[in-house]
């Protein structure tokens, strides 16, 4: 290990999964690492809300791409399975439509094909198999040259794919919307609606998101798990791993500015007025906080500002303890609206809550639809515009949203008798994640070039790196984890390069990858 790498002081601003993953990578290399988290506990968007039935996961609710986390723990010389307990999910989601039809989509491709055949006919089942092959091709084409790459640019993607892979990139249909591609794959409008929902996994509209997002179908077939203790158990295990490697984690410690001296990062100043010196800083917060000047004028140019109309979706969520009857819930259930185009027009063009929303329900005490005796823990979510900073919902609008949500569920056969409900709005998310307006996924993934608008780990300021769901490779627990690893590895390479050259100005710079 080169001395300059081993003795470097690293500050990680933000203790979400990206920041914790970065801390693991840096500490494993012997750096002096401190994670600064403004909240009382680490986790970022991974959070829980207390209810009479127990804590409800109110951030990510799905655990996918386990190999990403296996690799992270291997960096620290540990096995993920020794620290958390995972159980595979057989039913990805139970889907319910206003016409009374239902479809359980299974993890196992054969079971899913059989279910689709019973639901929509043998021809659609065959089309589903073709769709799965296309989704697999998208994932395998992009996995190494994009998802695991040090930043994203079209030129870099083509270079890494090589001439042999260029035809594969073209075959991904990057200029086609997901909605248009699904029309080519399925004739049943319900199946188009089901798979179009993948766009919302990154807070986007299926009518504007690229067809490449069909890769989510393959990711789900690779395995979806339930985590004993909830998603927060992943955060806690990763934080413990970082600490075991020598990292320090300081909570209730907000950063007010990131400092620059002699053209490179020099440290941070906390909200309490303390100045902490550092050789490198990894910012694991929404990049909009940098571009908007919330972390000081020295780093405004480190990342672009986020135009309001480029924001991804926010949400209105209801964390509830409730008795349920009617439609038997799976762990993940989706109750569709009867007019998907109108729903997304309301969200992105009219900037308002749809009159009839698609509703996601995470029944956190259920496995494969087994009945629950008594009140159960539910996360109920509807999409919302990310305007929590400029057009906060009124009390009347929030009440109307809850009424419309619960009424829609009742019309589709699910009756709730809540004991307690805690509501979170875009304004609440905007408060938790400054400069976002409540956007939960960074920039919306709209148009073919959107994937290249997320900045990579390096910034124009030497010593400052970016991680988190608003940076490359994108939102979601595994992607944020990868972003933290990519940022840490970029910093380590830059430090090693500095050690070899003996010059202090080489780290950082704008990545062309």
């Amino acid at each position: 290990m080169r001395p300059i790498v081993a003795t470097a002081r690293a500050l990680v601003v933000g203790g979400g999964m990206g920041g914790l993953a970065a801390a693991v990578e840096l500490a494993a290399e012997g750096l002096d690492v401190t994670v600064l988290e403004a909240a009382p506990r680490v986790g970022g968007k991974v959070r829980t809300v207390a209810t009479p039935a127990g804590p409800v996961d109110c951030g990510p609710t799905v655990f996918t791409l386990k190999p990403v986390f296996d690799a992270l723990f291997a960096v620290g010389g540990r096995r993920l399975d020794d620290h958390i307990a995972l159980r595979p999910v057989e039913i990805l989601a139970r889907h319910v439509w206003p016409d009374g039809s239902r479809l359980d989509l299974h993890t196992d491709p054969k079971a899913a094909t059989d279910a689709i055949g019973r639901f929509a006919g043998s021809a659609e089942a065959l089309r589903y198999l073709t769709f799965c092959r296309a989704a697999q091709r998208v994932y395998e084409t992009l996995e190494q040259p994009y998802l695991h790459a040090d930043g994203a640019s079209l030129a870099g993607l083509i270079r890494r794919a090589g001439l042999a892979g260029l035809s594969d990139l073209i075959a991904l249909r990057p200029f086609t919307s997901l909605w248009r591609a699904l029309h080519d794959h399925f004739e049943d409008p319900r199946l188009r609606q089901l798979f179009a929902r993948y766009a919302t996994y990154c807070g986007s509209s299926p009518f504007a998101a690229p067809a490449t997002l069909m890769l989510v179908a393959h990711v789900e077939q690779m395995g979806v798990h339930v985590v004993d203790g909830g998603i927060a158990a992943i955060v806690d295990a990763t934080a413990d791993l970082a600490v075991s490697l020598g990292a320090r984690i300081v909570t209730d410690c907000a950063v007010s500015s990131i400092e620059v001296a002699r053209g490179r990062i020099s440290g941070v100043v906390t909200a309490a007025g303390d100045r902490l010196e550092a050789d490198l800083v990894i910012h694991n917060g929404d990049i909009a906080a940098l571009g908007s000047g919330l972390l000081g004028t020295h780093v405004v140019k480190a990342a672009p500002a986020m135009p309001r109309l480029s924001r991804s979706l926010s949400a209105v969520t209801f964390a509830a303890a409730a008795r349920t009857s009617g439609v038997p819930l799976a762990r993940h259930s989706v109750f569709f609206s009867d007019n998907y185009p109108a729903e997304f027009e309301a969200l992105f063009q009219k900037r308002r809550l749809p009159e009839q929303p698609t509703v996601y329900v995470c029944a956190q005490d259920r496995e494969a639809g087994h009945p629950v005796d008594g009140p159960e823990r539910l996360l109920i979510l509807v999409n919302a515009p990310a305007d929590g900073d400029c057009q906060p919902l009124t009390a009347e609008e929030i009440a109307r949203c809850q009424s419309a949500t619960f009424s829609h569920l009742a019309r589709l056969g699910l009756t709730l008798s809540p004991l307690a409900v805690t509501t979170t709005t875009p304004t609440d998310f905007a408060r938790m994640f400054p400069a976002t307006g409540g956007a939960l996924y960074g920039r919306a993934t709209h148009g073919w070039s959107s994937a290249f608008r997320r900045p990579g780990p390096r910034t124009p300021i030497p010593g400052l790196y970016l991680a988190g769901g608003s940076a490359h490779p994108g939102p979601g627990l595994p992607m944020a984890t990868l972003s933290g690893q990519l940022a840490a590895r970029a910093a380590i390479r830059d430090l090693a390069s500095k050690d070899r050259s003996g010059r202090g100005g080489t780290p950082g710079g704008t990545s062309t990858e």
Side-chain angles (χ1 to χ4, degrees):
M1 188 180 299
R2 294 180 174 87
I4 194 168
V5 174
T7 59
R9 298 161 299 178
L11 295 177
V12 179
V13 179
M17 273 303 302
L20 295 174
V24 168
E25 292 273 353
L26 295 170
E29 284 289 323
L31 276 72
D32 181 348
V33 183
T34 302
V35 179
L36 306 174
E37 170 55 51
R41 57 165 293 144
V42 294
K45 292 185 176 71
V46 177
R47 64 189 190 94
T48 59
V49 171
T51 76
V56 173
D57 277 336
C58 287
T61 56
V62 178
F63 183 78
T64 59
L65 289 179
K66 180 175 180 286
V68 169
F69 301 91
D70 287 330
L72 175 64
F73 273 69
V75 167
R78 310 289 198 278
R79 291 179 67 254
L80 176 70
D81 293 332
D82 293 335
H83 296 271
I84 62 170
L86 299 173
R87 287 169 285 120
V89 172
E90 295 180 4
I91 296 177
L92 291 170
R94 177 159 294 156
H95 304 87
V96 185
W97 282 268
D99 65 3
S101 57
R102 301 179 194 172
L103 172 64
D104 287 352
L105 190 64
H106 296 258
T107 308
D108 176 66
K110 184 181 184 306
T113 303
D114 291 344
I116 289 173
R118 293 189 297 270
F119 175 76
S122 58
E124 288 295 81
L126 291 175
R127 293 186 186 100
Y128 170 69
L129 291 174
T130 302
F131 171 73
C132 289
R133 288 192 292 270
Q136 181 176 359
R137 185 179 186 185
V138 173
Y139 180 81
E140 291 177 347
T141 300
L142 294 179
E143 181 183 14
Q144 291 304 321
Y146 180 79
L147 297 181
H148 291 270
D150 187 1
S153 71
L154 181 58
L157 178 60
I158 293 173
R159 184 174 65 254
R160 287 186 292 270
L163 290 177
L166 186 57
S167 62
D168 288 334
L169 292 176
I170 296 172
L172 300 185
R173 304 176 67 187
F175 306 109
T176 302
S177 73
L178 178 61
W179 186 253
R180 178 65 262 172
L182 291 172
H183 271 68
D184 296 339
H185 279 286
F186 298 105
E187 292 187 359
D188 192 309
R190 297 169 300 178
L191 294 178
R192 296 170 189 162
Q193 190 175 25
L194 188 160
F195 293 110
R197 187 171 169 271
Y198 288 153
T200 65
Y201 289 22
C202 58
S204 304
S205 165
F207 302 94
T212 48
L213 287 181
M214 68 173 65
L215 66 82
V216 176
H218 184 65
V219 168
E220 291 184 332
Q221 288 183 351
M222 292 170 66
V224 176
H225 293 82
V226 172
V227 185
D228 282 355
I231 298 295
I234 299 285
V235 170
D236 293 340
T238 307
D240 290 343
L241 174 61
V243 170
S244 73
L245 295 170
R248 292 177 296 277
I249 297 177
V250 183
T251 56
D252 291 310
C253 184
V255 170
S256 59
S257 66
I258 299 175
E259 301 295 293
V260 175
R262 295 185 296 278
R264 63 167 295 114
I265 286 297
S266 60
V268 306
V269 175
T270 70
D274 298 319
R275 190 183 189 286
L276 306 178
E277 296 184 352
D279 299 293
L280 66 96
V281 171
I282 293 181
H283 177 258
N284 180 58
D286 199 286
I287 61 171
L290 293 168
S292 64
L294 289 185
L295 289 166
T297 57
H298 290 125
V299 292
V300 167
K301 295 183 179 180
M306 179 68 68
R308 171 174 165 255
L309 296 183
S310 297
R311 294 170 177 171
S312 61
L313 290 169
S314 187
V316 177
T317 67
F318 306 100
R323 297 181 184 274
T324 67
S325 60
V327 174
L329 293 171
R331 185 175 185 88
H332 306 287
S333 299
V334 181
F335 295 80
F336 284 112
S337 67
D338 59 8
N339 192 335
Y340 230 33
E343 184 175 348
F344 285 94
E345 181 183 6
L347 290 167
F348 283 102
Q349 276 73 55
K350 298 180 179 178
R351 311 297 296 186
R352 62 172 175 78
L353 294 169
E355 293 181 6
Q356 185 190 101
T358 291
V359 183
Y360 166 67
V361 179
C362 181
Q364 297 177 17
D365 296 308
R366 301 225 177 197
E367 290 295 337
H370 297 318
V372 175
D373 183 20
E376 55 186 305
R377 299 174 297 156
L378 303 175
L379 172 65
I380 303 165
L381 179 149
V382 297
N383 293 314
D387 294 334
D389 54 346
C390 56
Q391 293 182 10
L393 297 175
T394 65
E396 180 182 356
E397 287 174 316
I398 296 169
R400 190 162 59 241
C401 176
Q402 180 171 335
S403 176
T405 299
F406 284 42
S407 296
H408 181 58
L409 293 175
R411 280 195 302 271
L412 271 61
L414 177 66
T415 301
L416 302 178
S417 300
L419 301 179
V421 177
T422 299
T423 304
T424 306
T425 71
T427 298
D428 298 317
F429 287 121
R431 191 177 301 113
M432 286 185 269
F433 311 115
T436 65
L440 297 175
Y441 314 89
R443 179 185 288 270
T445 306
H446 288 167
W448 71 271
S449 63
S450 57
F452 307 115
R453 295 195 192 112
R454 292 183 183 272
R458 291 183 175 87
T459 73
I461 302 173
L464 177 61
Y465 303 86
L466 305 177
S470 61
H472 174 78
L477 207 64
M479 297 299 106
T481 301
L482 283 174
S483 79
Q485 293 180 279
L486 292 171
R489 291 169 186 174
I492 291 166
R493 285 195 298 272
D494 290 344
L495 286 170
S497 174
K498 176 182 176 182
D499 188 27
R500 286 193 297 271
S501 68
R503 292 180 288 114
T506 56
T510 303
S511 172
T512 59
E513 294 299 303

